[in-house]
Amino acid sequence: MQPVNISVYRPGTVLDDELAGLGYAAMRGWPDQRPVTAALVRSRLRPPGKALPTMLFVSRTASGGLAAAAAVRHSAAPGAPARLWGPVVAPEWQRRGLGTLLLQYVTDYLPGHGVVALTAEIPASREHGCALYERAGWVPHSSAVLLKGPLAPPARPPAGGVRVRPVGVSDAAALGRLYRAVNPGQGSAVAENTYWRWGSDERFVADGLLGVDGAVGELRAAALVYPLIHASPGEPAEALLADVLVRPGEDRAAVAQPLIAAALAAGARHDAVVARAVVPAAQRDLLADLRAAGLTAREDIRYYQAPLTSSARREAS
């Protein structure tokens, strides 16, 4: 086994395909199994906006094959958490301490100064994965629910008394105001950048961002779906329902249900046959909306937070 290599992640190289293959092999057979493409890897690792570069930690075999990898992606928004991707270990190299080794490298790399780092989604049924973080001093932060459901092209437009339409660049300001109304703790900079943040993901399709009009120049609700296009015949194409925003006080039965139906129909138009969503456990209204749309809970998801570094502990004391 070669030493762990630490480098700045650069999207658009052959490494994207290597990381996609590693990611799919590591999750195959688990509840979070899904198609993993180079585009999905880039969506997770490409630094957003003017964020610090994503740092990549890679371990290769003596023959040069990819045995394990992890990455830290920083946020462009002040105070927002960095995100850990991995450690992801090839099945044939698991249970040999590689995940622990990479996680130690990541933990040592993370800066202090109040920077918070969270894991990506960890299925609760992956008990060895949860134990890996807990042994390293990472602490539970929050939880979510993974939902999935079959997709089929609708025989007719979704029922409901509202008109669902595509949201474009001219709606960017209204989408930002809606995002802030739903997520008041995220800050104005994050909210104002919502359209550009969502649209910069290469999985973005113009008909996958939908909204319901409110007062002049405002949106009552919006939904974002990313179809995951791939060529593997053994894995059904998915549509990720990445976000659903409903302005507080709206009649969810009248607004959310036709909006979600239209978003899922958009995914089906891009040949997806499975819908997927990961929803914070506290968002009970949205969980109910998705169940009404035909999605079912498949797994509890956990997020862990990195331990404070010695410098951060001194600052907090």
Side-chain angles (χ1 to χ4, degrees), residues 167 175 198 208-211 221-225 241 243-245 259-260 263:
V167 170
L175 182 63
W198 288 356
L209 178 53
L210 301 163
L224 172 69
V225 64
L241 190 58
D243 217 329
V244 178
L245 307 174
L259 175 64
I260 291 170

Side-chain angles (χ1 to χ4, degrees), residues 152-186:
R156 58 184 181 276
V162 299
R163 172 178 166 266
V164 179
R165 65 168 179 85
V167 170
V169 64
S170 63
D171 302 297
L175 182 63
R177 290 190 291 271
L178 172 63
Y179 187 93
R180 189 170 189 183
V182 176
N183 302 286
Q186 292 288 324

Side-chain angles (χ1 to χ4, degrees), residues 14-30:
V14 68
L15 185 58
D16 290 341
D17 293 304
E18 288 187 283
L19 292 170
L22 177 69
Y24 181 71
M27 70 171 55
R28 191 170 185 179
W30 290 94

Side-chain angles (χ1 to χ4, degrees), residues 77-90:
R83 286 284 181 176
L84 169 65
W85 181 82
V88 183
V89 182

Side-chain angles (χ1 to χ4, degrees), residues 197-215:
R197 179 163 43 87
W198 288 356
S200 65
D201 192 303
E202 65 181 272
R203 298 171 297 170
F204 180 82
V205 291
D207 62 337
L209 178 53
L210 301 163
V212 176
D213 287 320

